Amino acid sequence: MGAQEGGPTLITSVQRALRLLEAVTTHENGAPAKQLARETGLPLATAYHLLRTLVHDGYVRKLDDGGYVLGDKVQMLHTNGRGQVLLSRVRPTLAALRDELATAAYLTFYEEGEIRVAEIVDGPQAPRVDLWVGFEDAGHATALGKSVLRELDDASRKDYLSRHSLADLTPRTITSRTELLRRLDSSPVAPAVTDLEEYALGTVCVAVPVYSGDTLGSLGVSLRADRLPRLEEILARLIPTANRVTRGLSLTI
């Protein structure tokens, strides 16, 4: 009986809090609790209680003059939600690439000085590579990371390499900064780059750059090393797919 009584009460509280948030958004310079209560049809005591909770949790901020405006938490939700919407746009494209090539597809972005995996689309016939070392610490050894490094300006590339050691992950990993830069600048399949068993033995990867607005990223696929002779065919699919992904990520929401 208590649960039945508590359920509707909780739902009502959530609805009232959302109505208050909606009301706050209509006042760029803030509005006092009395005005927000009036606009939402809430008792003043209820409005005060919900506003205090929203302030405590960062969804609303109280100004010195007593007005209420949206808090930083709402902006964070908007930013994260925007990223989810953008990824939902390109996920079908990544799935189509996976199905066509029978390879796992990966999407990364260069954010706050780090190379981070944003999406992996794999399947029973296209398993992902075992991520035994995080991509943030293996940019030098993965095609996805090297694609980003290739596109960075000299200052950003130098900054990244100064913060990341070139760990020896396999006997094929490039651990010399000079040699890594030389190969990045002379990739025979540019704008694509490859990882020839440098991250994991038995696996090769190919990646090309993509952009989400001004944010640099990379799109790549992984495959067994014995499928390397299909590289030309894979590039013929990968590059136009990257262009479609960039268009999808750059459309205004």
Side-chain angles (χ1 to χ4, degrees):
M1 186 70 168
Q4 291 177 345
E5 292 175 353
T9 300
L10 178 59
I11 292 172
T12 300
S13 295
V14 172
Q15 291 173 330
R16 289 173 171 175
L18 291 174
R19 281 159 54 191
L20 274 174
L21 278 175
E22 291 170 353
V24 170
T25 62
T26 65
H27 300 280
E28 184 177 349
N29 298 317
K34 289 183 179 180
Q35 182 176 354
L36 295 171
R38 185 170 59 253
E39 292 177 357
T40 56
L42 297 175
L44 182 57
T46 300
Y48 271 126
H49 173 71
L50 291 173
L51 285 168
R52 281 196 298 270
T53 301
L54 291 169
V55 168
H56 179 269
D57 289 340
Y59 293 101
V60 168
R61 182 163 56 92
K62 188 176 183 180
L63 302 176
D64 293 338
D65 63 4
Y68 293 88
V69 295
L70 293 178
D72 294 337
K73 187 69 73 67
V74 173
Q75 180 59 43
M76 183 191 73
L77 288 175
H78 172 74
T79 301
N80 292 343
R82 181 177 183 275
Q84 291 178 2
V85 171
L86 289 175
L87 286 176
S88 70
R89 285 180 176 176
V90 302
R91 201 170 284 118
T93 302
L94 300 182
L97 181 68
R98 173 202 61 196
D99 295 342
E100 184 176 9
L101 299 178
T103 60
Y106 308 78
L107 182 66
T108 74
F109 293 116
Y110 184 67
E111 299 172 318
E112 299 178 345
E114 299 294 344
I115 301 167
R116 294 173 176 151
V117 177
E119 188 66 89
I120 301 176
V121 178
D122 58 357
Q125 305 304 317
R128 68 182 67 186
V129 66
D130 179 18
L131 304 181
W132 69 285
V133 176
F135 272 53
E136 291 187 14
D137 297 317
H140 66 293
T142 65
L144 291 156
K146 291 195 288 182
S147 176
V148 170
L149 290 173
R150 185 179 185 277
E151 299 300 313
L152 290 177
D153 59 49
D154 289 340
S156 297
R157 190 189 287 178
K158 181 178 180 180
D159 172 68
Y160 178 89
L161 293 174
S162 72
R163 294 181 287 105
H164 297 80
S165 61
L166 306 187
D168 186 4
L169 304 184
T170 79
R172 295 177 177 269
T173 305
I174 303 170
T175 57
S176 163
R177 182 181 301 186
T178 300
E179 179 63 13
L180 175 64
L181 295 176
R182 186 190 71 78
R183 294 198 189 187
L184 289 177
D185 291 333
S186 60
S187 172
V189 289
V193 294
T194 57
D195 146 26
L196 305 179
E197 300 185 88
E198 297 159 46
Y199 178 78
L201 290 176
T203 300
V204 299
C205 301
V206 188
V208 293
V210 295
Y211 286 87
S212 176
D214 294 328
T215 301
L216 170 64
S218 59
L219 170 68
V221 296
S222 63
L223 54 150
R224 296 191 315 272
D226 60 10
R227 295 180 66 194
L228 188 59
R230 291 187 59 196
L231 180 60
E232 186 174 342
E233 174 193 347
I234 290 170
L235 287 175
R237 299 291 185 272
L238 191 58
I239 292 174
T241 299
N243 292 335
R244 289 196 294 274
V245 168
T246 292
R247 287 196 297 270
L249 293 173
S250 300
L251 293 174
T252 302
I253 295 178

